[in-house]
Amino acid sequence: MNHVVTIEEPQANPQVSQTRCGVKSGTWGNVSSSRPYDFLYDPLFIVSSEKDHTQANIQANLIRNRLRKVPRFRTMFSNLIHYPRYSLYWSKADPVPPFIRQEWKRHEEKHREALWHLAITDTSFQMAKEVYADPEVTGKNRYKYFERPFLPFHQQMPLNVVFAVTKTEPYTFPTTSAKYPSIPSKCTVGTQTDYRDAEVQTDPYSPEYVVCQESIPELLTLATLTWGRGLPAGQAEVEMIERAREKRAWEATLPCLSDTSQFEKRRRMMNAMERKEWAFREQEIEKLQEIRLEVLKELLKKRDENQNEVNMKHLNAQWSKLQEAKEAKLAQIQHRHVSAIRKLVGKGKNIEGKLERRNIIKDYSDYASQVYGPLSRLGRFPDNNSEDFVVKNHYLNTYEGLVELESCLPDFVTQPRIRPPKPKVTNTKAGFLKRAARMEHELAEVHKAILDKKNKVLEPKKLLRFLQRKSLPQPRLPTPTLEMSSNEEEDIEMAVIYLQKLLRGRVVQNTMFEGKEKRLELIQELRTSHALQEDDRLLKKAEKQVTLALQRQRNLHEHKVSLVENHLAGLEGRVLADMFDFLSKELVRLQEERRIHAFAMLAERQRRMREAEESGRRQVEQRRLREEDQIFKEVVKVHQSTVTSYLEDIILNTEENTAEEQARAEIEKMAEEINDIAYEMESRRTQLQSEEIVAELVYSFLIPEVQKDFVKEKVRNAQQKHILAAHQIIHRHTEAMLKKNFVEQQQDEVSDIDQLLEEETQNEKNN
């Protein structure tokens, strides 16, 4: 397994402090989490003792932890304990390079101080000067002292990124060989990455192009339109393109500049076009003003709505606060009321104040007593330890337990098997209705009739709104009686009555005959079921055999016809089943294809919207980054210039003061020594020594100056010939080139004049 190695580049320099803006005060500075090794790199970071140095080293090691989390790609999104998402590794790499000394700097300083004291006490000992190299803060080493601000959400993406085309996988038909279709127990709805869309979204790719000679493609006139600034093109861009086309067409119709007779026409056309452009510009300005007014109105309206919403929130908060206070007060009053009522009821039960013993039988017989339902205000909490009876199971309370429990279940639990119900067959093979089905149908009809009669609700009589007169039924007329005056009339009456009886009997006889004719077949059937005569029995038996033979023939014929029909029906059913199966699968495939196409279109639309939003956000971020970089540079420049000027002023003032004091002391000392020596020499000097001193002065001052002038004159004479030769070479070629250029210029002027004369003559001929 490879260990994670991190190397931090040292940013050390003995001259300048490594700070982002300004000078860092190392005397009282603390160890920062972003710069933990300043006590090793920064020369101005001073610790008081070796103990503090060790403590700073330990603190830096604690801040910069060497434990690294290395993700496991197979189980990156796992939440299980036995399949961790990452592994912890100890990094063996030391963030401090080996050439940086990690010992306490005080030992070197003590050695340097001892050498310095030795150089002061012993004049023969010469201490080597410390020469510091130029740090080049504003040069090649600038990157060591300044750093860009850390912005984790901004990364520059390459410009040659092309978005991948969305691919839809072909639809695969499900297999029909399995008895039960497999239903997946889990499905992935979606995944979420740790990266932002701004890190992967780029501008669209624009390929290189080559323009043919003497051709200006119209597409190159739109080169100023870029993604986010005119692309994708909208209505305004289309109108701009149409106006540009119209203007190019108008420019093509303009008269030529060389035609002097068309100047007035060209001027009129240009003035008209200018007026047209100014009018169009005025319309655009008016539209912009209207849009700004609408935006201002919307902003004012939105501000009023926000203010009203804030006021309503304040009012609702105040109302809810008062309502809560009111409810709390009412609850307190209700509590006191209940307590007072309870006390009064308790006092009313025992007005005389007698002491009563506890009746155990009454308490256990009354299920509302304190034995069965103790009150919590009396100090009894029957459900105090009710959580002990709660079922706590690892398989039901954790996700891992549920997964393990699900893996132990059989397949038919997670994959339900649906068995379609079989239709109840009520017909026989011959096509007749079965007796049981017929009985069920008749029973169902009878049951329905009984229920309808039982559930029939009699309509109540309507109440009379007004008084109505109830009419009495008419009385029945009395039965008339005929009084016979003689025997003849009585005989006639009896004869008439007898005739009536005959007629009525004849009517009944005719009715019976008609009924017998109607039910003659039933009568014959009844006769066959009873004992008949021998001849009739034989006839009936022969008829029965003939009927059975005919019935057998008919059954055989029907059986053959049914077999043929069954075979034909089976073939038709298979063909229809295959056709319907194919049509249903095609319908499902088309529906899935349309749904996938709709999802793809929605995803493409959402991607375009997000690209537009991200491009705008990216431009804002880039603009903000540029502003922050510029501000940071200006601040660093100001701080650096301030520090530099301050240090230069201090160093210059110190050097001037020190040099002035040392010069004065040395001048005074030398003046005293020279005066002493001069006075002593003056007292001992002779005439010969005076002349010798004057000769030495003349030799040391006058003769070297004369010799110097002689050497300069000799060098000047030696260089003069070389200068003359160089001047001759240069001026010789220069004069030839000037003459040649002058002749060519005159020839060009003559050819231009001839060409103008030819054009004027040609124009005069044309006119």
Side-chain angles (χ1 to χ4, degrees), residues 478-484 493:
T479 303
T481 57
L482 182 61
E483 294 180 359
M484 298 298 176
E493 184 179 0

Side-chain angles (χ1 to χ4, degrees), residues 328-563:
K329 191 70 175 175
L330 289 174
Q332 188 178 3
I333 293 170
Q334 187 70 18
H335 180 69
R336 288 202 300 267
H337 171 70
V338 172
S339 180
I341 293 296
R342 193 184 297 115
K343 290 178 182 178
L344 290 174
V345 170
K347 288 181 181 179
K349 289 182 180 179
N350 192 3
I351 299 174
E352 297 179 357
K354 294 181 180 181
L355 296 175
E356 294 182 358
R357 293 182 179 180
R358 179 189 175 191
N359 192 352
I360 298 175
I361 298 173
K362 184 178 179 182
D363 291 343
Y364 278 92
S365 62
D366 186 9
Y367 291 102
S369 62
Q370 298 291 326
V371 176
Y372 295 101
L375 298 175
S376 59
R377 59 186 173 84
L378 298 178
R380 293 289 302 278
F381 300 96
D383 56 348
N384 194 12
N385 298 323
S386 60
E387 64 274 3
D388 296 339
F389 302 101
V390 178
V391 178
K392 297 178 181 179
N393 195 348
H394 168 73
Y395 294 100
L396 299 177
N397 297 336
T398 59
Y399 175 74
E400 293 81 4
L402 288 173
V403 172
E404 187 175 355
L405 185 62
E406 186 179 354
S407 63
C408 298
L409 295 175
D411 294 338
F412 66 87
V413 177
T414 57
Q415 299 178 1
R417 300 174 182 176
I418 302 172
R419 296 179 179 177
K422 295 182 179 179
K424 193 173 182 181
V425 180
T426 58
N427 296 336
T428 59
K429 293 182 179 180
F432 297 101
L433 192 65
K434 290 184 178 181
R435 181 177 297 176
R438 186 168 61 250
M439 288 293 294
E440 288 180 1
H441 182 66
E442 292 177 356
L443 290 174
E445 289 183 352
V446 172
H447 180 68
K448 184 178 179 182
I450 293 171
L451 288 178
D452 292 341
K453 188 174 182 181
K454 183 178 180 181
N455 297 329
K456 186 177 180 181
V457 180
L458 297 175
E459 295 182 0
K461 294 183 179 180
K462 295 182 180 179
L463 298 176
L464 299 176
R465 296 180 61 186
F466 306 103
L467 293 176
Q468 294 181 1
R469 185 175 181 179
K470 190 175 181 181
S471 59
L472 295 174
Q474 293 181 0
R476 186 176 179 181
L477 295 175
T479 303
T481 57
L482 182 61
E483 294 180 359
M484 298 298 176
S485 60
S486 62
N487 293 329
E488 292 180 357
E489 292 179 358
E490 186 175 355
D491 294 336
I492 293 169
E493 184 179 0
M494 292 300 293
V496 170
I497 293 171
Y498 182 70
L499 183 59
Q500 289 177 354
K501 287 181 179 181
L502 289 175
L503 292 173
R504 288 173 183 167
R506 191 62 179 174
V507 168
V508 172
Q509 187 180 2
N510 291 333
T511 304
M512 289 291 293
F513 184 76
E514 290 177 0
K516 189 190 81 143
E517 291 294 332
K518 287 180 180 180
R519 294 166 178 80
L520 184 61
E521 294 179 356
L522 294 176
I523 294 170
Q524 291 178 358
E525 186 177 357
L526 288 173
R527 286 177 180 176
T528 56
S529 61
H530 290 80
L532 300 176
Q533 296 179 0
E534 190 66 22
D535 298 334
D536 294 336
R537 287 179 183 176
L538 293 174
L539 289 174
K540 293 295 180 185
K541 190 174 182 180
E543 291 177 359
K544 182 179 180 181
Q545 290 177 357
V546 172
T547 304
L548 290 174
L550 293 173
Q551 190 174 4
R552 281 195 297 270
Q553 290 178 1
R554 188 184 65 181
N555 289 337
L556 289 173
H557 180 68
E558 289 179 356
H559 181 64
K560 291 179 181 179
V561 172
S562 64
L563 287 176

Side-chain angles (χ1 to χ4, degrees), residues 1-8 37 61-71 86-95:
M1 181 63 69
N2 296 328
H3 295 279
V4 180
V5 179
T6 58
I7 299 176
E8 182 178 341
Y37 295 103
N61 289 329
L62 290 176
I63 289 175
R64 193 175 186 87
N65 193 1
R66 293 190 184 180
L67 283 176
R68 298 288 182 266
K69 292 182 179 179
V70 179
Y86 57 85
S87 302
L88 296 175
Y89 295 96
W90 180 262
S91 177
K92 295 182 179 180
D94 191 358

Side-chain angles (χ1 to χ4, degrees), residues 282-294:
E282 288 176 357
Q283 291 179 1
E284 284 189 344
I285 293 171
E286 289 177 357
K287 288 181 181 179
L288 289 174
Q289 289 178 352
E290 291 177 357
I291 292 170
R292 288 176 181 174
L293 286 175
E294 292 295 331

